[in-house]
Amino acid sequence: LASECPPSGPHRRHSLRQSSMGDPALDLAHVKGRCEEVLGSVEATGPSTRRSDVGVWVAAGSAFAVGFVLLSLVIWSRAVDASPPSAGSKDAGKPTGWLGAVGAIVSFGSSQLLVRLSSLEVADPAARPGFFTAFGALGNGVGNILVCTVLRACGLLDGTPTFHQVCWGVAGAADICIIQILAFSACQILGIAAAPAMWCGVGMFTSFVWGVVAFQEPIHSVFGALAALIFLAFGVAVVASAQTDVPPRAAQLLSKRCFSKHVEPGMRDVGLDCGDLATDSQSGSTDISVCGEKQPAPSSLEFADARTCTLDSAGTPSGPSPEALAKGLVLTLCVGLLDGSLMAPYKLFVRGASVEDASTSSPSERNLTYAYLEAFGWGVLLCFPLLLGGQALLWCHRHGSLLGFGRSAQVCVLPGVLSGVLWAVANACSVHASEYLGVALGFPLTQSCIVINALWGISLFDEMPGLPRRAACATGIFAILLGASLLALYARG
């Protein structure tokens, strides 16, 4: 038996065998009770189980510490650089760009870690994404403003953005807030190993379309760009398949052998996370025993909290249910489309600066990227009270009063703020990576953060259990990174 949501932590193995003996009603209740003990408290919409959050906090805190140190080094090296790259050039011989790339990889790859905290389950499930996003906006806004304050103190940012430029910063802020709400739910369903990889692939495709169609950016090679898009599409599809039973089925067909173990003669046994299933080759009956006690059970079990136990052909957890998988894929697609559109407000910000009348208060051309970060930071900070107020109104609509609102919001404060700060640190690092390494090198390097996401998802949350699924995920991530590299090389004029 397997939950819709793959269990995390070391897999406890129990022998589950169905028999034709005993009282079915009594035995089924016993089987359900034992499954409850094994599965724990599991949400039907995502691969989450009761677990200690200590490892998650340690991982997120370590990522923040590493990102903070690297960003500090990046800003220092940028401030003492007497000849930084001019517009359109690059200087990969200096450490600034490489430090920025590593900082972006670590911070971006860890920014979704805290959405999987089991302590968040205390909050109202309907309000949880909104609370997390609201406090994430607070951390993101404060982080960007603090970074820009340091940049001003170092002489790297001067002038004041115009009203129109601030508006584009607010537009980008609204985009990232919507992204965070959808990304929270997508990660709850598909996990942090698969969801970020898929929306990164869709986002790169969307960004390419924006550049070519809306901003008429030249393409260096049409065939190279098409190859990049094919690899991106292939990678996204393969990572998505890792959430289904396609990889185990494919592995079974390729190996031409069953997933069998040593069982009684005439019985076929397949491994399960919460038990073992054995089938009598002659009668076709399925035996399930719990802790050595033979108990009858139907082919699937449904619990009162909407969870179901299902088994795929390879005897491993089959991942989210078809309905949950479809919802997760739609959410991930929306995140990718919005994520790929984040560059549009920045492009319009820069274009607006080029047509504004030259004034002493406007940011200089080389500081426009930093000026956008500042306007973006103020925009995200402005979204915080709007998001929190919106959650209060929705809470009143659902519950009739604000009773319990404070408690649900409180558990999301620290995780949301830290996630927002991590994103701000990663964004600032990625700006310097692209400035010094160029788009062709800096862009695919920062996108390799999806490898960090996958490693966290597998090591901390045991996502996508089984070698076939993890191999499919790794293959898809490699294809996405290859597509990102080709896109950076051939899709830029």
Side-chain angles (χ1 to χ4, degrees), residues 43 57 92 94 98 106 124 148 152 159 177 201 244 303 344 366 383 425 478:
E43 290 185 3
W57 279 111
K94 296 176 180 177
W98 298 102
V106 173
D124 187 315
C148 291
R152 283 188 179 277
C177 288
T244 69
F303 294 94
R366 67 183 299 110
C383 289
V425 170
F478 176 78

Side-chain angles (χ1 to χ4, degrees), residues 299-473:
S299 59
S300 64
L301 294 177
E302 294 186 2
F303 294 94
D305 55 2
R307 290 176 299 151
T308 60
C309 288
T310 57
L311 173 67
D312 66 14
S313 61
T316 56
S318 59
S321 65
E323 295 79 8
L325 180 60
K327 180 182 177 182
L329 292 177
V330 170
L331 288 171
T332 304
L333 176 63
C334 293
V335 171
L337 293 174
L338 292 170
D339 186 48
S341 302
L342 268 176
M343 52 84 66
Y346 169 71
K347 285 281 189 180
L348 296 171
F349 178 94
V350 174
R351 284 192 174 188
S354 64
V355 299
E356 293 282 351
D357 50 358
S359 62
T360 56
S361 62
S362 298
S364 59
E365 182 180 353
R366 67 183 299 110
N367 292 334
L368 281 177
T369 300
Y370 297 150
Y372 178 75
L373 288 180
E374 188 175 43
F376 176 83
W378 284 111
V380 176
L381 196 60
L382 177 64
C383 289
F384 166 65
L386 299 177
L387 288 169
L388 196 59
Q391 287 303 309
L393 293 176
L394 290 173
W395 187 280
C396 288
H397 175 72
R398 287 192 298 263
H399 302 279
S401 69
L402 288 176
L403 184 64
F405 178 85
R407 185 190 180 199
S408 288
Q410 184 179 4
V411 298
C412 297
V413 173
L414 188 56
V417 169
L418 182 55
S419 291
V421 172
L422 274 171
W423 197 93
V425 170
N427 196 38
C429 287
S430 67
V431 166
H432 292 88
S434 296
E435 180 185 18
Y436 275 82
L437 302 180
V439 175
L441 180 58
F443 178 70
L445 274 179
T446 57
Q447 294 305 304
S448 61
C449 66
I450 60 179
V451 177
I452 304 297
N453 277 308
L455 292 176
W456 286 137
I458 292 173
S459 62
L460 291 178
F461 307 109
D462 200 24
E463 294 176 356
M464 293 177 295
L467 181 60
R469 287 188 177 89
R470 291 176 178 177
C473 183

Side-chain angles (χ1 to χ4, degrees), residues 36-398:
E36 286 283 10
E37 293 180 16
V38 176
L39 293 175
S41 177
V42 184
E43 290 185 3
T45 57
S48 173
T49 60
R50 292 289 183 187
R51 58 184 175 276
S52 172
D53 287 339
V54 175
V56 183
W57 279 111
V58 170
S62 301
F64 170 73
V66 171
F68 177 80
V69 170
L70 290 172
L71 179 59
S72 301
L73 293 174
V74 165
I75 294 177
W76 174 79
S77 61
R78 177 66 170 77
V80 299
D81 190 355
S83 57
S86 57
S89 64
K90 59 181 180 179
D91 192 348
K94 296 176 180 177
T96 308
W98 298 102
L99 291 172
V102 176
I105 292 170
V106 173
S107 300
F108 271 138
S110 306
S111 61
Q112 298 294 328
L113 260 176
L114 298 176
V115 306
R116 297 294 313 281
L117 287 170
S118 61
S119 60
L120 295 178
E121 295 172 6
V122 176
D124 187 315
R128 200 180 303 158
F131 283 139
F132 196 92
T133 300
F135 293 110
L138 176 62
N140 197 346
V142 171
N144 275 288
I145 292 171
L146 288 178
V147 168
C148 291
T149 301
V150 174
L151 293 173
R152 283 188 179 277
C154 295
L156 300 176
L157 176 60
D158 55 18
T160 304
T162 65
F163 174 76
H164 293 89
Q165 291 172 338
V166 172
C167 288
W168 290 123
V170 172
D175 191 359
I176 192 63
C177 288
I178 298 174
I179 287 173
Q180 292 300 326
I181 293 177
L182 301 178
F184 183 95
S185 299
C187 287
Q188 289 295 311
I189 297 173
L190 302 179
I192 63 171
M198 286 188 284
W199 75 55
C200 276
V202 176
M204 283 182 273
F205 178 87
T206 305
S207 178
F208 170 78
V209 174
W210 268 104
V212 174
V213 177
F215 299 108
Q216 282 78 47
E217 293 180 349
I219 300 176
H220 181 67
S221 170
V222 175
F223 292 106
L226 289 176
L229 297 179
I230 291 173
F231 275 109
L232 289 177
F234 172 76
V236 170
V238 172
V239 173
S241 73
Q243 297 292 331
T244 69
D245 63 346
V246 171
R249 287 177 179 270
Q252 191 175 23
L253 290 175
L254 290 175
S255 62
K256 293 184 179 179
R257 59 184 179 181
C258 299
F259 293 92
S260 59
K261 295 180 292 187
H262 297 292
V263 293
E264 300 175 9
M267 307 290 287
R268 183 178 63 85
D269 188 79
V270 265
L272 296 174
D273 291 320
C274 66
D276 291 338
L277 181 72
T279 302
D280 192 324
S281 59
Q282 295 180 354
S283 64
S285 64
T286 303
D287 284 355
I288 295 182
S289 72
V290 181
C291 297
E293 302 178 18
K294 293 187 177 183
Q295 306 291 345
S299 59
S300 64
L301 294 177
E302 294 186 2
F303 294 94
D305 55 2
R307 290 176 299 151
T308 60
C309 288
T310 57
L311 173 67
D312 66 14
S313 61
T316 56
S318 59
S321 65
E323 295 79 8
L325 180 60
K327 180 182 177 182
L329 292 177
V330 170
L331 288 171
T332 304
L333 176 63
C334 293
V335 171
L337 293 174
L338 292 170
D339 186 48
S341 302
L342 268 176
M343 52 84 66
Y346 169 71
K347 285 281 189 180
L348 296 171
F349 178 94
V350 174
R351 284 192 174 188
S354 64
V355 299
E356 293 282 351
D357 50 358
S359 62
T360 56
S361 62
S362 298
S364 59
E365 182 180 353
R366 67 183 299 110
N367 292 334
L368 281 177
T369 300
Y370 297 150
Y372 178 75
L373 288 180
E374 188 175 43
F376 176 83
W378 284 111
V380 176
L381 196 60
L382 177 64
C383 289
F384 166 65
L386 299 177
L387 288 169
L388 196 59
Q391 287 303 309
L393 293 176
L394 290 173
W395 187 280
C396 288
H397 175 72
R398 287 192 298 263

